[in-house]
Amino acid sequence: MTADALTAARRKATELRRAIQSLHRIHGDTPPMRRLMSDLGWIESGLGELPATPLAAAERVLVPDTPYAREMWHGADDEGLGGRRLP
């Protein structure tokens, strides 16, 4: 996300806050209004936690679908079967 996109999203969140506050004056402190205010808080919190410049993408590690060598598990507990030791 570029700084411009983040700035635009924060601006839209501010506009949304104004709209929700207008609705709050009309509808009062009802459960749907409290939910909207809570959701808005999550949106603003998330936007506040985003860095202005994106982090570098993490390196992907491919894990093969083939079974691991049985020797790798020698002496390990098989927790799925109640702690039975593998031969």
Side-chain angles (χ1 to χ4, degrees):
M1 177 178 283
T2 65
D4 291 341
L6 185 56
T7 300
R10 287 179 176 158
R11 188 171 35 252
K12 293 294 183 184
T14 300
E15 291 175 22
L16 181 59
R17 174 168 286 287
R18 286 190 202 114
I20 290 175
Q21 287 171 338
S22 293
L23 288 171
H24 190 269
R25 285 190 290 275
I26 296 167
H27 294 280
D29 191 31
T30 61
M33 288 308 310
R34 286 194 299 268
R35 188 172 51 248
L36 282 171
M37 292 300 290
S38 175
D39 291 346
L40 177 62
W42 280 105
I43 290 169
E44 290 173 334
S45 175
L47 288 171
E49 292 174 7
L50 287 174
T53 56
L55 302 174
E59 182 181 334
R60 294 182 94 177
V61 177
L62 296 177
V63 178
D65 289 338
T66 57
Y68 290 108
R70 193 158 177 82
E71 301 82 43
M72 180 174 138
W73 303 107
H74 179 72
D77 282 338
D78 186 347
E79 295 176 11
L81 298 175
R84 180 179 66 92
R85 291 253 181 216
L86 295 173

Coordinates of all heavy atoms in Angstrom, one line a residue:
M1 N 0.8 -1.2 0.0 CA 0.0 0.0 0.0 C 0.9 1.2 0.0 O 1.8 1.4 0.8 CB -0.9 0.0 1.2 CG -1.8 1.2 1.4 SD -2.9 1.1 2.8 CE -4.1 0.0 2.2
T2 N 0.7 2.1 -0.9 CA 1.5 3.3 -1.0 C 1.0 4.3 0.0 O -0.1 4.2 0.6 CB 1.4 3.9 -2.4 OG1 0.1 4.4 -2.6 CG2 1.8 2.9 -3.5
A3 N 1.8 5.3 0.3 CA 1.4 6.4 1.2 C 0.1 7.1 0.8 O -0.7 7.4 1.6 CB 2.5 7.3 1.4
D4 N 0.0 7.2 -0.6 CA -1.2 7.9 -1.1 C -2.5 7.1 -0.8 O -3.5 7.6 -0.5 CB -1.1 8.1 -2.6 CG 0.0 9.1 -3.0 OD1 0.3 9.9 -2.1 OD2 0.5 9.1 -4.1
A5 N -2.4 5.8 -1.0 CA -3.5 4.9 -0.8 C -3.9 4.9 0.7 O -5.1 4.9 1.1 CB -3.2 3.5 -1.2
L6 N -2.9 4.9 1.6 CA -3.1 4.9 3.0 C -3.8 6.2 3.4 O -4.7 6.3 4.2 CB -1.8 4.7 3.8 CG -1.9 4.6 5.3 CD1 -2.9 3.5 5.7 CD2 -0.6 4.3 5.9
T7 N -3.3 7.3 2.9 CA -3.9 8.6 3.1 C -5.3 8.7 2.7 O -6.2 9.2 3.4 CB -3.1 9.7 2.5 OG1 -1.7 9.7 3.0 CG2 -3.6 11.1 2.7
A8 N -5.6 8.1 1.5 CA -7.0 8.1 1.0 C -7.9 7.3 1.9 O -9.0 7.7 2.2 CB -7.0 7.6 -0.4
A9 N -7.4 6.1 2.3 CA -8.2 5.3 3.2 C -8.5 5.9 4.5 O -9.6 5.9 5.0 CB -7.5 3.9 3.4
R10 N -7.5 6.6 5.1 CA -7.7 7.4 6.3 C -8.7 8.5 6.1 O -9.5 8.7 7.0 CB -6.4 7.9 6.9 CG -5.5 6.8 7.4 CD -4.2 7.3 7.9 NE -3.4 6.2 8.6 CZ -2.1 6.2 8.7 NH1 -1.4 7.3 8.3 NH2 -1.5 5.2 9.2
R11 N -8.7 9.2 5.0 CA -9.6 10.2 4.7 C -11.0 9.7 4.6 O -12.0 10.2 5.2 CB -9.2 11.0 3.4 CG -10.0 12.2 3.1 CD -9.5 13.0 2.0 NE -8.9 12.3 0.9 CZ -7.6 12.2 0.6 NH1 -6.7 12.8 1.3 NH2 -7.2 11.5 -0.5
K12 N -11.2 8.5 4.0 CA -12.5 7.9 3.8 C -13.0 7.4 5.2 O -14.2 7.5 5.5 CB -12.4 6.7 2.9 CG -12.2 7.1 1.4 CD -13.3 7.9 0.9 CE -13.1 8.2 -0.6 NZ -14.1 9.0 -1.1
A13 N -12.1 7.0 6.1 CA -12.5 6.6 7.4 C -13.0 7.8 8.2 O -14.0 7.7 9.0 CB -11.3 5.9 8.1
T14 N -12.4 8.9 8.0 CA -12.8 10.1 8.6 C -14.2 10.5 8.1 O -15.1 10.9 8.9 CB -11.8 11.3 8.4 OG1 -10.6 10.9 8.9 CG2 -12.3 12.6 9.0
E15 N -14.5 10.4 6.8 CA -15.8 10.7 6.3 C -16.8 9.7 6.8 O -17.9 10.1 7.1 CB -15.7 10.6 4.7 CG -14.9 11.7 4.1 CD -14.8 11.4 2.6 OE1 -15.7 10.7 2.0 OE2 -13.9 12.0 2.0
L16 N -16.4 8.4 6.9 CA -17.3 7.4 7.5 C -17.7 7.7 8.9 O -18.8 7.6 9.3 CB -16.7 6.0 7.3 CG -17.5 4.9 7.8 CD1 -18.8 4.8 7.1 CD2 -16.7 3.6 7.7
R17 N -16.7 8.2 9.7 CA -16.9 8.6 11.1 C -18.0 9.7 11.2 O -18.9 9.6 12.0 CB -15.7 9.0 11.8 CG -15.9 9.5 13.2 CD -14.7 9.7 14.0 NE -14.1 8.5 14.5 CZ -14.6 7.7 15.4 NH1 -15.7 8.1 16.0 NH2 -14.0 6.6 15.8
R18 N -17.9 10.7 10.3 CA -18.8 11.8 10.3 C -20.2 11.3 10.0 O -21.2 11.7 10.6 CB -18.4 12.9 9.3 CG -17.3 13.7 9.8 CD -17.0 14.9 8.9 NE -15.7 15.3 9.1 CZ -14.7 15.3 8.1 NH1 -15.0 14.9 6.9 NH2 -13.5 15.7 8.4
A19 N -20.3 10.4 9.0 CA -21.6 9.8 8.6 C -22.2 9.0 9.7 O -23.4 9.1 10.0 CB -21.5 9.0 7.3
I20 N -21.4 8.2 10.3 CA -21.9 7.3 11.4 C -22.4 8.2 12.6 O -23.4 7.9 13.3 CB -20.9 6.3 11.8 CG1 -20.8 5.2 10.7 CG2 -21.3 5.6 13.1 CD1 -19.7 4.2 10.9
Q21 N -21.6 9.3 12.9 CA -22.0 10.2 14.0 C -23.4 10.8 13.7 O -24.2 11.0 14.6 CB -20.9 11.2 14.2 CG -19.7 10.6 14.9 CD -18.5 11.6 15.0 OE1 -18.4 12.5 14.2 NE2 -17.6 11.3 15.9
S22 N -23.6 11.2 12.4 CA -24.9 11.8 12.0 C -26.0 10.7 12.2 O -27.1 11.1 12.7 CB -24.9 12.2 10.5 OG -24.0 13.2 10.3
L23 N -25.7 9.5 11.8 CA -26.7 8.4 12.1 C -27.0 8.2 13.6 O -28.1 8.0 14.0 CB -26.3 7.1 11.4 CG -26.3 7.1 9.9 CD1 -25.6 5.8 9.4 CD2 -27.8 7.1 9.4
H24 N -25.9 8.3 14.3 CA -26.0 8.2 15.8 C -27.0 9.2 16.4 O -27.8 8.9 17.3 CB -24.7 8.2 16.4 CG -24.7 7.8 17.9 ND1 -24.8 8.7 18.9 CD2 -24.5 6.6 18.4 CE1 -24.8 8.1 20.0 NE2 -24.6 6.8 19.8
R25 N -26.9 10.4 15.9 CA -27.8 11.5 16.4 C -29.2 11.2 16.1 O -30.1 11.5 16.8 CB -27.4 12.8 15.8 CG -26.1 13.4 16.5 CD -25.8 14.8 16.1 NE -25.4 15.0 14.7 CZ -24.2 14.9 14.2 NH1 -23.2 14.6 15.1 NH2 -23.9 15.0 12.9
I26 N -29.5 10.5 14.9 CA -30.8 10.2 14.5 C -31.3 8.9 15.2 O -32.5 8.9 15.7 CB -30.9 9.9 13.0 CG1 -30.5 11.2 12.2 CG2 -32.2 9.4 12.5 CD1 -30.2 11.0 10.8
H27 N -30.5 7.9 15.3 CA -31.0 6.6 15.8 C -30.7 6.4 17.3 O -31.2 5.4 17.9 CB -30.4 5.5 15.0 CG -30.8 5.4 13.5 ND1 -32.0 4.9 13.2 CD2 -30.3 5.9 12.4 CE1 -32.2 5.0 11.9 NE2 -31.1 5.7 11.4
G28 N -29.8 7.2 17.8 CA -29.5 7.1 19.3 C -28.6 5.9 19.5 O -28.0 5.3 18.6
D29 N -28.5 5.6 20.8 CA -27.5 4.5 21.3 C -28.2 3.2 21.2 O -28.5 2.6 22.2 CB -27.1 4.9 22.7 CG -25.9 4.0 23.1 OD1 -25.1 3.6 22.2 OD2 -25.8 3.7 24.3
T30 N -28.4 2.7 20.0 CA -29.0 1.4 19.8 C -27.9 0.3 19.5 O -26.8 0.7 19.2 CB -30.0 1.4 18.6 OG1 -29.2 1.8 17.4 CG2 -31.1 2.4 18.8
P31 N -28.3 -0.9 19.7 CA -27.2 -2.0 19.4 C -26.6 -1.9 18.0 O -25.4 -2.0 17.9 CB -28.0 -3.3 19.6 CG -29.1 -3.0 20.6 CD -29.5 -1.5 20.2
P32 N -27.4 -1.6 16.9 CA -26.8 -1.5 15.6 C -25.8 -0.3 15.5 O -24.7 -0.4 14.9 CB -27.9 -1.3 14.6 CG -29.1 -1.8 15.3 CD -28.9 -1.6 16.8
M33 N -26.1 0.8 16.2 CA -25.2 2.0 16.2 C -24.0 1.7 17.0 O -22.9 2.1 16.6 CB -26.0 3.2 16.8 CG -27.0 3.8 15.9 SD -26.5 4.1 14.1 CE -25.0 5.0 14.3
R34 N -24.1 1.0 18.1 CA -22.9 0.6 18.9 C -22.0 -0.3 18.1 O -20.8 -0.2 18.1 CB -23.3 0.0 20.2 CG -23.9 1.0 21.2 CD -24.0 0.4 22.6 NE -24.8 -0.8 22.7 CZ -26.1 -0.7 23.0 NH1 -26.7 0.5 23.2 NH2 -26.8 -1.8 23.1
R35 N -22.6 -1.2 17.3 CA -21.8 -2.1 16.5 C -21.1 -1.3 15.4 O -19.9 -1.6 15.1 CB -22.7 -3.2 15.9 CG -22.0 -4.3 15.2 CD -22.8 -5.5 14.7 NE -24.0 -5.1 14.0 CZ -25.3 -5.2 14.5 NH1 -25.5 -5.7 15.7 NH2 -26.3 -4.8 13.7
L36 N -21.8 -0.4 14.8 CA -21.2 0.4 13.7 C -20.0 1.2 14.3 O -18.9 1.3 13.7 CB -22.2 1.4 13.1 CG -23.1 0.8 12.1 CD1 -24.2 1.8 11.7 CD2 -22.3 0.3 10.8
M37 N -20.2 1.8 15.5 CA -19.1 2.6 16.1 C -17.9 1.6 16.4 O -16.8 2.0 16.3 CB -19.6 3.3 17.4 CG -20.6 4.4 17.1 SD -19.9 5.7 16.1 CE -18.8 6.5 17.2
S38 N -18.2 0.4 16.9 CA -17.2 -0.5 17.2 C -16.4 -0.9 15.9 O -15.2 -1.0 15.9 CB -17.8 -1.8 17.9 OG -16.8 -2.7 18.1
D39 N -17.2 -1.2 14.9 CA -16.5 -1.6 13.6 C -15.7 -0.4 13.1 O -14.6 -0.7 12.6 CB -17.6 -1.9 12.6 CG -18.3 -3.2 12.9 OD1 -17.8 -4.0 13.8 OD2 -19.4 -3.5 12.3
L40 N -16.1 0.8 13.2 CA -15.4 1.9 12.8 C -14.1 2.0 13.6 O -13.0 2.3 13.1 CB -16.2 3.2 12.9 CG -15.5 4.5 12.6 CD1 -15.0 4.5 11.1 CD2 -16.3 5.7 12.9
G41 N -14.1 1.7 14.9 CA -12.9 1.7 15.7 C -11.9 0.7 15.2 O -10.7 1.0 15.2
W42 N -12.4 -0.5 14.8 CA -11.5 -1.5 14.3 C -10.9 -1.0 13.0 O -9.7 -1.2 12.7 CB -12.2 -2.8 14.0 CG -12.5 -3.6 15.2 CD1 -13.6 -3.7 15.9 CD2 -11.5 -4.4 15.9 NE1 -13.4 -4.6 17.0 CE2 -12.1 -5.0 17.1 CE3 -10.1 -4.6 15.7 CZ2 -11.4 -5.8 18.0 CZ3 -9.5 -5.4 16.6 CH2 -10.1 -6.0 17.7
I43 N -11.6 -0.4 12.1 CA -11.1 0.1 10.8 C -10.0 1.2 11.1 O -8.9 1.1 10.5 CB -12.2 0.7 10.0 CG1 -13.1 -0.4 9.5 CG2 -11.7 1.5 8.8 CD1 -14.4 0.1 8.8
E44 N -10.3 2.1 12.0 CA -9.4 3.2 12.3 C -8.1 2.6 12.9 O -7.0 3.1 12.6 CB -10.0 4.3 13.1 CG -11.1 5.1 12.4 CD -11.8 6.0 13.3 OE1 -12.0 5.7 14.5 OE2 -12.3 7.0 12.7
S45 N -8.3 1.6 13.8 CA -7.2 1.0 14.5 C -6.3 0.3 13.5 O -5.0 0.4 13.5 CB -7.7 0.0 15.5 OG -6.6 -0.7 16.1
G46 N -6.9 -0.4 12.6 CA -6.1 -1.1 11.5 C -5.4 -0.2 10.6 O -4.2 -0.4 10.3
L47 N -6.0 0.9 10.2 CA -5.3 1.9 9.4 C -4.2 2.5 10.1 O -3.1 2.8 9.5 CB -6.3 2.9 8.9 CG -7.3 2.5 7.9 CD1 -8.4 3.6 7.6 CD2 -6.6 2.1 6.6
G48 N -4.3 2.7 11.4 CA -3.3 3.3 12.2 C -2.1 2.4 12.4 O -1.0 2.9 12.6
E49 N -2.3 1.1 12.3 CA -1.2 0.2 12.4 C -0.4 -0.1 11.1 O 0.7 -0.7 11.2 CB -1.7 -1.2 13.0 CG -2.2 -1.1 14.4 CD -2.9 -2.3 14.9 OE1 -2.8 -3.4 14.2 OE2 -3.5 -2.3 16.0
L50 N -1.0 0.3 10.0 CA -0.3 0.0 8.7 C 0.9 1.0 8.5 O 0.7 2.2 8.8 CB -1.3 0.2 7.6 CG -2.3 -0.9 7.4 CD1 -3.3 -0.5 6.3 CD2 -1.6 -2.2 7.0
P51 N 2.0 0.5 8.1 CA 3.1 1.4 7.8 C 2.9 2.1 6.5 O 2.1 1.6 5.6 CB 4.3 0.4 7.7 CG 3.7 -0.9 7.3 CD 2.4 -0.9 7.9
A52 N 3.4 3.3 6.4 CA 3.3 4.1 5.2 C 3.8 3.4 3.9 O 3.3 3.5 2.8 CB 3.9 5.5 5.3
T53 N 4.9 2.7 4.2 CA 5.5 1.9 3.0 C 5.3 0.4 3.4 O 5.6 0.0 4.5 CB 7.0 2.2 2.8 OG1 7.7 2.0 4.0 CG2 7.1 3.7 2.4
P54 N 5.0 -0.4 2.4 CA 4.8 -1.8 2.7 C 6.1 -2.5 3.1 O 7.1 -2.1 2.6 CB 4.2 -2.4 1.4 CG 4.6 -1.4 0.3 CD 4.7 -0.1 1.0
L55 N 5.9 -3.5 3.9 CA 7.1 -4.4 4.2 C 7.4 -5.3 3.1 O 6.6 -5.6 2.2 CB 6.7 -5.2 5.5 CG 6.3 -4.4 6.7 CD1 5.9 -5.4 7.8 CD2 7.5 -3.6 7.2
A56 N 8.7 -5.7 3.0 CA 9.1 -6.6 2.0 C 8.4 -7.9 2.1 O 8.1 -8.4 3.2 CB 10.6 -6.8 2.1
A57 N 8.0 -8.5 1.0 CA 7.3 -9.8 1.0 C 8.2 -10.9 1.6 O 9.4 -10.9 1.3 CB 6.9 -10.1 -0.4
A58 N 7.6 -11.7 2.4 CA 8.3 -12.8 3.0 C 8.7 -13.8 2.0 O 7.9 -14.0 1.0 CB 7.5 -13.4 4.1
E59 N 9.8 -14.4 2.1 CA 10.2 -15.5 1.2 C 9.3 -16.7 1.4 O 9.1 -17.1 2.5 CB 11.7 -15.9 1.5 CG 12.2 -16.9 0.5 CD 13.6 -17.3 0.8 OE1 14.4 -16.5 1.4 OE2 14.0 -18.4 0.5
R60 N 8.8 -17.3 0.3 CA 8.0 -18.4 0.4 C 8.8 -19.7 0.5 O 9.8 -19.8 -0.2 CB 7.1 -18.5 -0.8 CG 6.1 -17.4 -0.9 CD 5.2 -17.5 -2.1 NE 4.0 -18.2 -1.6 CZ 3.0 -18.5 -2.4 NH1 3.0 -18.2 -3.7 NH2 2.0 -19.1 -1.9
V61 N 8.4 -20.6 1.4 CA 9.1 -21.9 1.5 C 8.1 -22.9 1.1 O 7.0 -23.1 1.6 CB 9.5 -22.1 3.0 CG1 10.1 -23.5 3.1 CG2 10.4 -21.0 3.4
L62 N 8.5 -23.7 0.1 CA 7.6 -24.7 -0.4 C 7.9 -26.0 0.4 O 9.0 -26.4 0.6 CB 7.9 -25.0 -1.9 CG 7.5 -23.9 -2.8 CD1 7.9 -24.2 -4.3 CD2 6.0 -23.5 -2.8
V63 N 6.8 -26.6 0.9 CA 6.9 -27.9 1.6 C 6.3 -28.9 0.7 O 5.2 -28.9 0.3 CB 6.0 -27.8 2.9 CG1 6.1 -29.1 3.7 CG2 6.5 -26.6 3.8
P64 N 7.1 -30.0 0.4 CA 6.7 -31.0 -0.5 C 5.6 -31.9 0.1 O 5.4 -32.0 1.3 CB 7.9 -31.8 -0.7 CG 8.8 -31.6 0.5 CD 8.5 -30.2 0.9
D65 N 4.7 -32.4 -0.8 CA 3.7 -33.3 -0.3 C 4.1 -34.7 0.0 O 3.4 -35.5 0.5 CB 2.6 -33.4 -1.4 CG 1.8 -32.1 -1.5 OD1 1.8 -31.3 -0.5 OD2 1.2 -31.8 -2.5
T66 N 5.3 -35.0 -0.4 CA 5.8 -36.4 -0.2 C 6.1 -36.6 1.3 O 6.4 -35.7 2.0 CB 7.2 -36.6 -1.0 OG1 8.1 -35.6 -0.6 CG2 6.9 -36.5 -2.5
P67 N 5.9 -37.9 1.7 CA 6.2 -38.2 3.2 C 7.6 -38.0 3.6 O 8.5 -38.1 2.7 CB 5.8 -39.6 3.3 CG 5.1 -40.0 2.0 CD 5.5 -39.0 1.0
Y68 N 7.8 -37.6 4.8 CA 9.2 -37.4 5.3 C 9.8 -38.8 5.6 O 9.1 -39.8 5.7 CB 9.2 -36.7 6.7 CG 8.8 -35.2 6.5 CD1 7.6 -34.8 7.0 CD2 9.7 -34.3 5.9 CE1 7.3 -33.4 6.8 CE2 9.4 -33.0 5.8 CZ 8.2 -32.5 6.3 OH 7.9 -31.2 6.1
A69 N 11.1 -38.9 5.6 CA 11.8 -40.1 5.9 C 11.4 -40.6 7.3 O 11.4 -39.8 8.2 CB 13.3 -39.9 5.7
R70 N 11.1 -41.9 7.4 CA 10.7 -42.4 8.7 C 11.8 -42.3 9.7 O 11.5 -42.1 10.9 CB 10.3 -43.9 8.5 CG 9.6 -44.5 9.7 CD 8.8 -45.7 9.2 NE 8.1 -46.3 10.4 CZ 7.0 -45.9 10.9 NH1 6.4 -44.9 10.4 NH2 6.4 -46.5 11.9
E71 N 13.1 -42.3 9.3 CA 14.2 -42.2 10.3 C 14.2 -40.8 11.0 O 14.7 -40.7 12.1 CB 15.5 -42.4 9.6 CG 15.7 -43.7 8.8 CD 15.0 -43.7 7.5 OE1 15.1 -42.7 6.7 OE2 14.4 -44.7 7.2
M72 N 13.6 -39.9 10.3 CA 13.6 -38.5 10.9 C 12.8 -38.5 12.2 O 13.1 -37.7 13.1 CB 13.0 -37.5 9.9 CG 12.9 -36.1 10.4 SD 12.3 -35.1 9.0 CE 11.2 -34.1 9.9
W73 N 11.8 -39.4 12.3 CA 11.0 -39.4 13.5 C 11.4 -40.4 14.5 O 10.7 -40.6 15.5 CB 9.5 -39.7 13.1 CG 9.1 -38.7 12.1 CD1 8.9 -38.8 10.7 CD2 8.8 -37.3 12.3 NE1 8.5 -37.7 10.1 CE2 8.4 -36.7 11.1 CE3 8.7 -36.5 13.4 CZ2 8.0 -35.4 10.9 CZ3 8.4 -35.2 13.3 CH2 8.0 -34.6 12.1
H74 N 12.5 -41.1 14.4 CA 13.0 -42.1 15.3 C 13.0 -41.6 16.7 O 13.7 -40.6 17.0 CB 14.3 -42.7 14.9 CG 14.8 -43.7 15.8 ND1 14.3 -45.0 15.9 CD2 15.8 -43.7 16.8 CE1 14.9 -45.7 16.8 NE2 15.8 -44.9 17.3
G75 N 12.3 -42.2 17.6 CA 12.3 -41.9 19.0 C 11.4 -40.8 19.4 O 11.3 -40.4 20.6
A76 N 10.6 -40.2 18.5 CA 9.7 -39.1 18.7 C 8.4 -39.7 19.2 O 8.0 -40.8 18.8 CB 9.5 -38.3 17.5
D77 N 7.7 -39.0 20.0 CA 6.3 -39.3 20.5 C 5.3 -39.1 19.3 O 5.4 -38.1 18.6 CB 5.9 -38.5 21.7 CG 6.5 -39.0 23.0 OD1 6.9 -40.2 23.0 OD2 6.5 -38.2 23.9
D78 N 4.4 -40.0 19.2 CA 3.3 -39.8 18.2 C 2.1 -39.3 19.0 O 1.4 -40.1 19.6 CB 3.0 -41.1 17.5 CG 1.9 -40.9 16.4 OD1 1.3 -39.9 16.4 OD2 1.8 -41.8 15.6
E79 N 2.0 -38.0 19.2 CA 1.0 -37.4 20.1 C -0.4 -37.8 19.6 O -1.3 -37.8 20.4 CB 1.2 -35.9 20.1 CG 2.5 -35.5 20.7 CD 2.7 -34.1 20.7 OE1 1.8 -33.3 20.4 OE2 3.9 -33.6 21.0
G80 N -0.6 -38.0 18.4 CA -1.9 -38.4 17.9 C -2.4 -39.7 18.4 O -3.6 -40.0 18.4
L81 N -1.5 -40.5 18.9 CA -1.9 -41.9 19.4 C -1.6 -42.0 20.8 O -1.4 -43.1 21.3 CB -1.2 -43.0 18.5 CG -1.6 -43.0 17.1 CD1 -0.7 -44.0 16.3 CD2 -3.1 -43.3 16.8
G82 N -1.6 -41.0 21.6 CA -1.4 -41.1 23.0 C 0.0 -41.3 23.5 O 0.2 -42.0 24.5
G83 N 1.0 -40.7 22.8 CA 2.3 -40.8 23.3 C 3.1 -42.1 23.0 O 4.1 -42.4 23.6
R84 N 2.5 -42.8 22.0 CA 3.2 -44.1 21.6 C 4.5 -43.7 20.9 O 4.5 -42.8 20.1 CB 2.3 -44.9 20.7 CG 2.8 -46.2 20.2 CD 1.8 -46.9 19.3 NE 1.5 -46.1 18.1 CZ 2.2 -46.3 16.9 NH1 3.2 -47.2 16.8 NH2 1.9 -45.6 15.9
R85 N 5.6 -44.4 21.2 CA 6.8 -44.2 20.5 C 6.8 -44.9 19.2 O 6.4 -46.0 19.0 CB 8.0 -44.7 21.3 CG 8.2 -43.9 22.6 CD 9.5 -43.1 22.4 NE 9.7 -42.4 23.6 CZ 10.2 -41.1 23.7 NH1 10.5 -40.6 22.5 NH2 10.4 -40.5 24.8
L86 N 7.3 -44.2 18.2 CA 7.5 -44.8 16.8 C 8.7 -45.7 16.9 O 9.7 -45.3 17.5 CB 7.6 -43.7 15.8 CG 6.4 -42.8 15.5 CD1 6.7 -41.7 14.6 CD2 5.2 -43.6 15.0
P87 N 8.7 -46.8 16.2 CA 9.9 -47.7 16.2 C 11.0 -47.0 15.4 O 10.9 -46.2 14.6 CB 9.4 -48.9 15.5 CG 8.1 -48.6 14.8 CD 7.6 -47.3 15.4

